[in-house]
Amino acid sequence: MAQRKIFAGVKLRALREQQKLTQAEFATRLDISTSYINQLENNQRPVTAAIMLSLAENFNVDVTSLLADKSDRLIIDLKEIFADPLFADNPPGLQELKSLATNTPQTAHAFMRLYEAYRKSNERMAGVDDVLMREQAGNLQTSYEEVRDFFHYADNYIDPLDRAAEDLAGEQALDGHDKLERLVKYCERVHDLTVEFVMPNKRDMIRQFDRTRRVIRLNTTLDKSTQFFQLANQLALLEQTSLINQILTDANFKRDEARAICRIGLANYYAGALLMPYNQFLKEAQAVRYDIEIMAQRFGASLEQVAHRLSTLQRPQLRGIPFFFARVDQAGTITKRHSATALQFARFGGACPLWNVHRAFESPQRIIRQRAETPDGKRYLCLAWASEKRAGGFRQPTRRYAYALGCEIDHASELIYSDDLDIGEDAAFDPIGVSCRTCERRNCTQRSVPPIAAEISITPDERSVVPYKIN
């Protein structure tokens, strides 16, 4: 099999500019010609093994960061957009999309924002949505979508917050089953906070912070992992203010609302990293072969927290298995999503009905396994389970979710869940897609709508499961 060529022009140019070097100076440091550097930066030539070694020696570059091609997820997003009939007359080919995503990623992102604005404008005009009348120009991408994209293209890994949480966990020995008590004492000693565990005074109360009295109230009916997470979240907002503000400034959000939403997301990220410190968590994951139930017991965390944390293990030079992770409500809406794999969740529309996460509600608390193959030929080991989130007694609200965690089949042998599965048997892999809107399969009996880029034909005298034929 031919070895995949590595093109890293954008990354090399960013490294050179960060070091404040001209192309000639950069070439001298790497012992190559200036014209060669120019070709590398414009993706006219691939990065060789010798250049990778030179980058590692001269600039302490993590070689794996060059091998990780983040353009893949951008290409998938672009393919979904160009499936719109708007571009039916002359859609760009795969090579053109690869060139756009690899050579000019900022232009690709700008085009995606433009398309989202166009799509939302059309939806609101079609529905005579009065929100459009109140919306100011340029605000057609919601704040939540802005924040979603921030984490999506950061690989869901925020290095400075992750390391800050890991340092505190080590300094305060936030390990073992008494970590909540230790964190409470730390908050009292260092920040003069009083932590109270109370019965909720509102049906959906989880955490309250009285800034005047410096009292943090936590719902006493919640499990300890949630209490720790909520206390760590509030601690992040108090102790990591400067760091979070710097991250928000660098993100350059268009609206204050997006900054506020992202601030909560960053505090949540810190809380998860404090509950499950990076190095310790990765070592434990490898030791127990990613058995999420054992890891939940080991770190005093929920399965959701463990799975979400697994999807963030993208620290340079210390990466874990690339996972995808998603949370789905009973209506089939994906309410939380991240993927470090080639499988990217649809930005528009719902998820594939053949995905095992939809069956998880039928078997609560049991981990369901699935071997799946997407239309591009990539294969995955998918795990799914469902659980309830309760916030009190009989009359308190209950939230039900299903969760999905998975990795490419090449990594399956590192997971305990693959031990009795035949991952070499073609017939064992279920054909799934991203969404019906973009799925290229012609013979799916679960299809809800035709592919948006395909023509269909309807024969009145014939009827099959799907009432049309995809041409």
Side-chain angles (χ1 to χ4, degrees), residues 161 165 228-234 236 265-276 305:
L161 272 183
F228 182 99
F229 185 91
Q230 291 300 324
L231 183 55
N233 181 294
Q234 193 68 63
L266 292 171
N268 286 338
Y269 185 97
Y270 180 89
L274 190 63
L275 181 62
M276 296 163 282
Q305 290 168 336

Side-chain angles (χ1 to χ4, degrees), residues 73-249:
R73 67 182 58 190
L74 191 51
I75 292 169
I76 292 170
D77 289 342
L78 290 170
K79 282 180 67 178
E80 185 178 355
I81 288 173
F82 280 106
D84 193 304
L86 178 70
F87 306 104
D89 290 342
N90 191 24
L94 182 59
Q95 288 304 120
E96 291 178 277
L97 295 182
K98 285 183 177 178
S99 177
L100 177 62
T102 303
N103 295 334
T104 55
Q106 294 304 319
T107 301
H109 283 294
F111 175 77
M112 286 169 55
R113 291 194 296 271
L114 180 63
Y115 176 79
E116 285 194 3
Y118 155 79
R119 177 177 169 272
K120 289 184 182 299
S121 178
N122 268 12
E123 287 177 353
R124 287 168 178 169
M125 287 175 68
V128 198
D129 190 343
D130 64 354
V131 174
L132 183 61
M133 307 301 295
R134 300 191 303 267
E135 194 84 76
Q136 293 183 356
N139 285 355
L140 290 173
Q141 184 188 40
T142 70
S143 296
Y144 275 100
E145 287 166 334
E146 263 198 280
V147 175
R148 174 201 65 191
D149 284 355
F150 165 77
F151 281 102
H152 179 67
Y153 289 106
D155 258 351
N156 204 31
Y157 176 72
I158 312 298
D159 188 72
L161 272 183
D162 209 298
R163 293 181 186 274
E166 186 173 34
D167 290 344
L168 180 62
E171 293 167 3
Q172 300 302 318
L174 300 179
D175 191 11
H177 295 292
D178 64 342
K179 62 170 63 180
L180 176 59
E181 290 75 12
R182 287 178 176 270
L183 186 60
V184 168
K185 291 178 180 177
Y186 174 81
C187 290
E188 292 173 345
R189 183 177 68 255
V190 176
H191 295 281
D192 192 28
L193 295 171
T194 299
V195 181
E196 298 178 351
F197 297 88
V198 301
M199 287 297 295
N201 55 6
K202 295 181 180 179
R203 292 183 74 246
D204 57 352
M205 177 268 187
I206 293 176
R207 179 189 81 238
Q208 291 177 339
F209 180 35
D210 185 335
R211 291 184 176 272
T212 303
R213 296 178 54 217
R214 299 193 66 75
V215 174
I216 298 176
R217 300 183 183 89
L218 299 174
N219 186 330
T220 192
T221 67
L222 300 173
D223 57 69
K224 280 196 169 186
S225 64
T226 303
Q227 291 172 345
F228 182 99
F229 185 91
Q230 291 300 324
L231 183 55
N233 181 294
Q234 193 68 63
L235 180 63
L237 296 173
L238 292 170
E239 191 168 271
Q240 300 298 330
T241 304
S242 297
L243 182 54
I244 290 175
N245 284 342
Q246 184 59 56
I247 295 170
L248 293 173
T249 299

